[in-house]
Amino acid sequence: FEHNPLNPLTRFAVRLCPFDVGVVLVWPHKLLGYLRQAALPPRRRDYITFFPRWLAWLRPLESRLSWCPVGAQYVVVSEKVPG
């Protein structure tokens, strides 16, 4: 799970949060490359968290938006190759 730097609201929130001082957001393509270098090929990448609390009634739609790269976060699942 990682904050998505493609989402401008995520970048704004991270920039304002004292807890995140000095944080460098990891771009999805970079994380995928790191996993491949570590012999952990990615099996799935989904974008998540599209709607803020005040639009929570729309959250059931989020599973249909996992392909869309503007979610506030993303998740990557990888698997160690036996060998």
Side-chain angles (χ1 to χ4, degrees):
F1 291 88
E2 183 61 57
H3 290 306
N4 184 5
L6 292 167
N7 183 300
L9 294 176
T10 297
R11 287 196 314 265
F12 178 74
V14 168
R15 188 170 51 247
L16 293 182
C17 180
F19 182 75
D20 288 332
V21 171
V23 165
V24 176
L25 297 177
V26 179
W27 290 86
H29 71 276
K30 286 283 195 182
L31 181 58
L32 295 173
Y34 296 147
L35 290 170
R36 285 186 190 102
Q37 288 176 354
L40 296 167
R43 299 291 181 219
R44 183 177 180 141
R45 176 191 59 209
D46 290 331
Y47 295 94
I48 60 173
T49 318
F50 290 86
F51 301 109
R53 187 175 299 134
W54 61 276
L55 291 174
W57 59 276
L58 290 172
R59 288 186 178 160
L61 300 174
E62 289 188 347
S63 63
R64 295 181 181 196
L65 295 171
S66 63
W67 60 270
C68 185
V70 295
Q73 296 182 324
Y74 65 93
V75 60
V76 175
V77 177
S78 66
E79 183 177 346
K80 185 174 181 177
V81 177

